[in-house]
Amino acid sequence: MNTDFVTLGAYRIRYATSGPDNAENAMLLFNGIGANIETATAFMAQFPNTRCVIFDMPGVGQSPAPVFPYRAVNMTRLAADLLDHLGIGAVDVFGVSWGGGLAQQFAHDHPHRTRRLVLAATTAGYVMVPGSMKVLSKMATPKRYVDPDFMARIGPEIYGGLLRENSELLVEHMDAMSHSSPLGYLYQLMAISGWTSYFWLPALTMPTLVLMGSDDPIVPPVNGRILADRIPNAELVEVECGHLFIVTMPEETAALIRDFRSRTELQVA
């Protein structure tokens, strides 16, 4: 994986690419809230023949926080500018959790640039069926990203799945995390506050795969059913894990995506 910095408009961001420059397929990734590039490294490594592109959101990881807050549409425009900077045209778009909202917004704003859409552990925005309020209250601050002891205590409860019983997986995730500024985290919350894709999801015509964790305390699986029912060309697959299945099960998750890509190749040719 190669990393670099670039200034695009009002934003200076750190981005990463992996895979061959001349790969036949490219994939743009939107990460979860507060999550830096390195938390997706193991997942990206599952696509050695795909040119993967990801960036730290402003104020997250090593991307400095901007002066002013932003909205989801600002970040999808920034992502499109980054693809232009890299000379990449159409892409498969992947988004997990908070990033799943941006992935939907990117597909809406740039339909001719979105070959396929993969949504993981995410929702249609404010119309979502919420998880446990006890769990969601612990997600309101970035404390878990800056306090390892706090993360170790709450991680199994808020993320569910394999992390309930395998503390080593949580430690690996914590080791991959880097500090995000409180301002950057606040901006991420503000970017998606009041946002919903629910009313325009029927306009998304690209092949779409919705992946949901069966034991996700943050985003209950029913939210995946809402997405799959609203997007005309979507299919829903439930993964036997919690909210962080791309971290705990990168090989299995990537295999589902590769199979989906193979089955839909003729539709996007």
Side-chain angles (χ1 to χ4, degrees):
M1 184 171 71
N2 300 308
T3 62
D4 204 347
F5 287 85
V6 65
T7 299
L8 298 167
Y11 305 100
R12 181 163 178 76
I13 55 170
R14 176 176 178 255
Y15 68 92
T17 60
S18 65
D21 290 348
N22 61 350
E24 184 176 344
N25 291 311
M27 183 162 64
L28 171 68
L29 296 93
F30 291 104
N31 215 340
I33 190 167
N36 52 295
I37 289 170
E38 283 71 15
T39 61
T41 300
F43 178 66
M44 291 170 64
Q46 303 303 317
F47 300 93
N49 298 317
T50 298
R51 194 174 190 203
C52 296
V53 179
I54 189 171
F55 62 99
D56 282 339
M57 287 291 150
V60 174
Q62 296 185 38
S63 292
V67 176
F68 299 107
Y70 56 80
R71 297 291 292 171
V73 66
N74 300 118
M75 291 301 100
T76 59
R77 188 177 304 125
L78 177 62
D81 290 344
L82 176 59
L83 294 178
D84 290 341
H85 171 73
L86 296 171
I88 298 174
V91 293
D92 292 341
V93 180
F94 171 90
V96 57
S97 192
W98 181 89
L102 292 196
Q104 294 167 64
Q105 188 68 52
F106 186 94
H108 175 265
D109 297 343
H110 306 279
H112 300 298
R113 204 166 191 173
T114 306
R115 300 176 77 228
R116 284 169 286 229
L117 180 62
V118 180
L119 305 173
T122 194
T123 78
Y126 71 72
V127 300
M128 73 175 288
V129 177
S132 161
M133 292 309 297
K134 181 181 177 183
V135 167
L136 294 179
S137 67
K138 294 172 181 173
M139 299 280 294
T141 77
K143 184 177 180 180
R144 67 189 184 283
Y145 289 114
V146 298
D147 185 341
D149 292 336
F150 181 71
M151 173 63 107
R153 288 198 307 274
I154 71 166
E157 178 186 2
I158 66 172
Y159 295 128
L162 297 179
L163 294 181
R164 292 190 190 276
E165 299 178 355
N166 191 333
S167 59
E168 291 184 3
L169 289 172
L170 184 59
V171 171
E172 290 176 8
H173 180 57
M174 292 163 59
D175 288 343
M177 294 188 308
S178 64
H179 174 69
S180 298
S181 73
L183 183 60
Y185 195 85
L186 175 63
Y187 281 177
Q188 283 193 285
L189 290 174
M190 294 173 65
I192 214 92
S193 176
W195 174 91
T196 184
S197 60
Y198 183 83
F199 301 104
W200 46 256
L201 284 176
L204 302 183
T205 58
M206 66 286 295
T208 299
L209 175 64
V210 181
L211 300 171
M212 301 298 292
S214 59
D215 177 29
D216 187 340
I218 300 171
V219 182
V222 66
N223 290 285
R225 172 51 56 196
I226 293 172
L227 290 169
D229 285 348
R230 296 287 291 172
I231 300 174
N233 195 9
E235 60 182 271
L236 172 64
V237 175
E238 199 164 286
V239 181
E240 294 298 320
C241 195
H243 190 68
L244 291 183
F245 54 82
I246 77 160
V247 173
T248 58
M249 302 172 62
E251 295 180 14
E252 296 85 348
T253 305
L256 291 171
I257 295 172
R258 286 194 296 269
D259 176 66
F260 165 70
R261 288 165 60 173
S262 176
R263 288 185 288 100
T264 56
E265 195 60 42
L266 290 178
Q267 296 183 48
V268 300

